[in-house]
Amino acid sequence: MPATIKDIAKALGISPSTVSRALNDNPQIKEETIKAVKATAKKLNYVPNKAAAGLRINKTYCIGVVVPSIGIYFFSRIISGMQRVASARGYQLLICQSNEKEEEEEKLLKSLSAGRVDGILLSISQETTRLNHIKEVMNHMPVVIFDRVDPALDTVQVEADDYNAAYIATQHLIKTGCKKIAHLAGPTSMFNTKNRLNGYKEALKDGDLEVSNSLIANCDFDRHVVGKALEKLLKDHPDVDGIFAVNDNLGVEAIIVLKKMGYKVPEQISVIGFGNYPISKIVEPRLTTVSHYLSETGERSARYLLEMIEKKTRKIDIEPPFVSELIFRDSTKQI
């Protein structure tokens, strides 16, 4: 059995209430008593019962995390960052996945907000088009939206600088001599992928290159459709010499498919991704990409939520998005 406050009190010959106040650094307790209580607690391997303490102050010391998928590298890295911050502050994470389903996301938010957590970290599912279920939770609980954000939600949101990162990626292809650049795009319903699409288009305009919907293939983050998408793109535009992929998974798949089709990367077609996932360094040639600060995004999101919880406020100061940088490898030509 773990040691209790009563065990500490018995060892020191003082009341349990005095032990409790000493453990919480109550100024009414003498400093020598506080030191003696904490030393005895350490000796007896006492662990505070946060659940019991939480019941007294209506707190669970638990944060709900809802992500589209737990199993992929992207979200696992973000969750790792959240875990570090939460654990250091005495909170636990209750992690759930929506499986990219709006209905499942709604069920999870309702369950979590029914007294199980003190706040929620949410990355919106690909299918989500209605926001009422999110707004409802926001009415009575702190919510931070991360990565997959929506400006219609009046809460703290942590997003990547998707527009500028996409601009940087496309601009790099232009600087290396690409004249006709295609885009393997993500879901059109999501704001972060829209921002990447817009950054790609703006870079083309600034480089006086063709901007055409026929150069954009919607792949919905699904690497299995990249083959057919590239076949159509290159049939319609055989002079394509550059490809910007919405994430590294599609970028890697593009390299594999192009090589199977007999193209040389980057001699004939350059490829650049987004995210700097580990897989980008395994494929041959290694994938040029732009950074996406996943762990840092998780840390920042958790910090913001804990500040909202502990200060009992919905309005906090937030930092500008992380500035992405180009990570040059072998799948694009040198400038």
Side-chain angles (χ1 to χ4, degrees):
M1 291 284 291
T4 65
I5 284 178
K6 289 183 179 180
D7 294 327
I8 300 171
K10 183 177 180 181
L12 293 172
I14 57 179
S15 69
S17 61
T18 299
V19 172
S20 178
R21 290 195 293 270
L23 288 170
N24 287 286
D25 296 307
N26 190 306
Q28 295 180 344
I29 305 300
K30 294 180 180 179
E31 186 176 345
E32 55 265 35
T33 302
I34 292 175
K35 288 181 179 179
V37 167
K38 290 186 175 180
T40 304
K42 185 176 181 180
K43 181 179 178 181
L44 296 177
N45 294 317
Y46 167 74
V47 178
N49 187 338
K50 287 226 169 198
L55 287 173
R56 291 194 296 271
I57 60 175
N58 196 31
K59 286 188 71 172
T60 66
Y61 290 96
C62 189
I63 293 171
V65 181
V66 181
V67 294
S69 176
I70 295 171
I72 64 174
Y73 171 80
F74 184 91
F75 287 111
S76 67
R77 286 293 295 157
I78 291 178
I79 291 170
S80 293
M82 292 173 175
Q83 178 67 47
R84 279 193 294 275
V85 171
S87 179
R89 300 272 282 273
Y91 286 76
Q92 294 180 322
L93 300 184
L94 180 54
I95 302 167
C96 311
Q97 63 178 4
S98 64
N99 292 311
E100 300 285 14
K101 304 293 184 183
E102 181 175 23
E103 184 179 353
E104 184 65 20
E105 178 180 274
E106 184 172 358
K107 289 178 182 177
L108 290 170
L109 290 178
K110 284 182 178 179
S111 175
L112 290 171
S113 63
R116 299 178 65 185
V117 296
D118 297 326
I120 294 174
L121 295 161
L122 168 67
S123 187
I124 301 171
S125 85
Q126 185 175 324
E127 278 192 4
T128 298
T129 55
R130 297 176 293 107
L131 301 175
N132 289 342
H133 61 291
I134 302 174
K135 292 178 180 179
E136 185 178 339
V137 173
M138 287 166 46
N139 286 333
H140 62 274
M141 176 172 290
V143 177
V144 170
I145 312 295
F146 64 93
D147 186 65
R148 298 186 185 179
V149 302
D150 193 311
L153 295 170
D154 184 21
T155 189
V156 174
Q157 306 200 48
V158 181
E159 58 183 317
D161 195 2
D162 292 290
Y163 177 92
N164 285 320
Y167 187 98
I168 290 169
T170 308
Q171 186 182 57
H172 172 71
L173 292 174
I174 297 170
K175 286 180 177 179
T176 61
C178 294
K179 300 297 183 184
K180 198 160 194 177
I181 302 171
H183 178 41
L184 301 181
T188 56
S189 61
M190 293 167 49
F191 280 89
N192 60 342
T193 53
K194 282 182 184 177
N195 285 336
R196 293 177 201 180
L197 174 60
N198 290 334
Y200 153 80
K201 288 181 176 180
E202 191 65 24
L204 292 182
K205 291 177 185 177
D206 290 347
D208 293 323
L209 297 184
E210 178 184 0
V211 180
S212 170
N213 288 335
S214 64
L215 286 168
I216 300 166
N218 191 332
C219 296
D220 280 346
F221 297 140
D222 185 356
R223 64 181 182 84
H224 297 100
V225 306
V226 170
K228 288 184 178 180
L230 284 178
E231 283 180 13
K232 185 176 188 316
L233 274 171
L234 294 170
K235 180 180 179 181
D236 295 342
H237 300 279
D239 52 342
V240 162
D241 55 2
I243 294 172
F244 165 49
V246 71
N247 65 23
D248 283 350
N249 289 336
L250 297 191
V252 167
E253 189 67 21
I255 291 175
I256 294 170
V257 169
L258 288 171
K259 288 169 65 177
K260 287 181 178 178
M261 294 172 69
Y263 290 94
K264 293 182 179 180
V265 179
E267 291 83 357
Q268 292 175 282
I269 300 179
S270 290
V271 181
I272 191 166
F274 191 111
N276 194 29
Y277 303 173
I279 194 172
S280 63
K281 293 183 281 189
I282 298 173
V283 68
E284 178 60 40
R286 298 178 307 154
L287 179 66
T288 298
T289 185
V290 285
S291 59
H292 195 146
Y293 297 90
L294 302 179
S295 181
E296 293 86 350
T297 294
E299 291 175 356
R300 181 176 287 187
S301 301
R303 279 196 291 106
Y304 287 164
L305 184 65
L306 289 174
E307 184 175 349
M308 293 167 70
I309 291 170
E310 293 171 359
K311 292 184 178 179
K312 294 182 171 60
T313 181
R314 304 297 172 89
K315 302 295 183 182
I316 62 172
D317 294 329
I318 62 173
E319 302 164 79
F322 295 106
V323 178
S324 296
E325 59 179 321
L326 178 75
I327 299 172
F328 176 75
R329 296 198 179 100
D330 309 316
S331 64
T332 57
K333 298 175 184 176
Q334 291 192 10
I335 298 174

